[in-house]
Amino acid sequence: MGIEQPRRTPAVHRAVDVLDAVGHNVATTSAALASELTMAKSSIGDLVEALENENLLRRAINGNLRLGARLAAATAGTPEDPTLVERALRVLGQIAFFDSHTVSFVRVVGLQALCVDVRMGQHPLALTPRPGQSRPITDSAGAAAVLRSVPESTARDLVVQYADHQGITPQNIQDALTAIAAVDHDDAHVARLTDSYGIVQLGIRVGADDADGHIAAVLHLPDRLADLKTLLRGSAALVDLAARLGSRV
């Protein structure tokens, strides 16, 4: 059994530990970080303050810690041409409603909705979306938003192109598209469904009418929070996000 090597740059490692804990919603307050990382509260306080000053951490409206805009920008590729999801993650931080809620981004891949990225919120979910996870398109408001907002021929092509890979039949495809057509949509083209885990999803297609347009943003709400007021605010926030992504930022 190998001996763990001592950290040669402990301050850097402590900062990374803090950013990792906040980014994965393990601890989002100084007290929780001190407990989780077994560090003195005074040390955590100094470290958090320094990270906030450098815009690597920020405070949400409720006071909880979130990753800062500088960190998002540093990991978002070239400023001149960031990808759609990279731009979306930046814009999320500008819309107050999303501060405490989980938002994922999904792409339609045959009969699967593939999660390509996620910004986790503070509310526990029965299933926390993770990049690389997939679920049936009939269980994803994001997939429904994409497939309902493109021409029928395009929607079918998005599914059929993976038919051989996924071993799906024409009947499978027709059944899925029929189910998608029945998913609730509001006047702003935001799809809504309660998935198989009991999580209420709101989804909207984001991006232009090209490959980017086959991606959707999905807001995940525990059933206990999915009252009419929150649903309306969530839908409005998604529409705002989609509108802001209509041009490069």
Side-chain angles (χ1 to χ4, degrees), residues 107-115 132-138 143 147 155-170 172-173 176-177:
R107 182 184 292 278
V108 175
V109 180
L111 289 184
Q112 298 292 316
L114 176 67
C115 178
Q133 282 182 347
S134 62
R135 62 171 62 199
I137 57 173
T138 52
L147 296 171
R156 186 171 291 276
D157 287 345
L158 283 173
V159 176
V160 170
Q161 63 180 314
Y162 293 94
D164 290 341
H165 175 70
Q166 295 181 354
I168 53 183
T169 67
N172 295 149
I173 294 168
L177 293 178

Side-chain angles (χ1 to χ4, degrees):
M1 184 174 183
I3 299 176
E4 184 177 348
Q5 295 298 314
R7 293 175 164 184
R8 300 181 63 181
T9 52
V12 173
H13 287 288
R14 285 197 295 269
V16 170
D17 288 341
V18 167
L19 294 173
D20 191 52
V22 172
H24 289 86
N25 208 36
V26 172
T28 57
T29 66
S30 294
L33 286 167
S35 176
E36 178 70 24
L37 303 178
T38 60
M39 291 175 57
K41 291 183 179 179
S42 58
S43 298
I44 282 289
D46 291 342
L47 185 52
V48 166
E49 182 180 3
L51 291 171
E52 285 187 274
N53 289 339
E54 293 297 329
N55 205 14
L56 295 172
L57 287 178
R58 64 181 179 85
R59 296 277 177 177
I61 293 175
N62 61 6
N64 285 350
L65 294 166
R66 292 286 181 264
L67 296 181
R70 184 174 180 181
L71 183 60
T75 59
T78 60
E80 295 80 8
D81 189 28
T83 69
L84 173 67
V85 173
E86 288 163 350
R87 288 187 287 127
L89 289 170
R90 295 182 190 179
V91 175
L92 278 177
Q94 302 167 16
I95 302 175
F97 176 83
F98 292 128
D99 270 346
S100 59
H101 295 294
T102 295
V103 178
S104 69
F105 296 89
V106 302
R107 182 184 292 278
V108 175
V109 180
L111 289 184
Q112 298 292 316
L114 176 67
C115 178
V116 295
D117 216 324
V118 64
R119 211 284 302 270
M120 288 187 288
Q122 69 182 39
H123 302 294
L125 299 170
L127 176 69
T128 301
R130 302 279 185 181
Q133 282 182 347
S134 62
R135 62 171 62 199
I137 57 173
T138 52
D139 204 35
S140 169
V146 167
L147 296 171
R148 285 280 297 269
S149 61
V150 297
E152 184 178 349
S153 59
T154 302
R156 186 171 291 276
D157 287 345
L158 283 173
V159 176
V160 170
Q161 63 180 314
Y162 293 94
D164 290 341
H165 175 70
Q166 295 181 354
I168 53 183
T169 67
Q171 189 60 52
N172 295 149
I173 294 168
Q174 187 56 51
D175 290 346
L177 293 178
T178 299
I180 289 293
V183 173
D184 287 339
H185 279 65
D186 63 19
D187 292 339
H189 304 292
V190 175
R192 183 179 74 190
L193 59 77
T194 300
D195 67 25
S196 57
Y197 295 90
I199 301 166
V200 178
Q201 296 184 22
L202 298 179
I204 194 168
R205 182 173 69 108
V206 293
D209 291 323
D210 53 20
D212 272 357
H214 302 154
I215 290 179
V218 183
L219 172 65
H220 302 258
L221 296 170
D223 181 64
R224 62 184 176 82
L225 295 180
D227 56 275
L228 180 59
K229 181 179 178 180
T230 303
L231 291 173
L232 291 174
R233 291 181 63 206
S235 178
L238 286 172
V239 170
D240 186 11
L241 172 65
R244 296 190 194 203
L245 292 173
S247 60
R248 297 288 178 183
V249 295

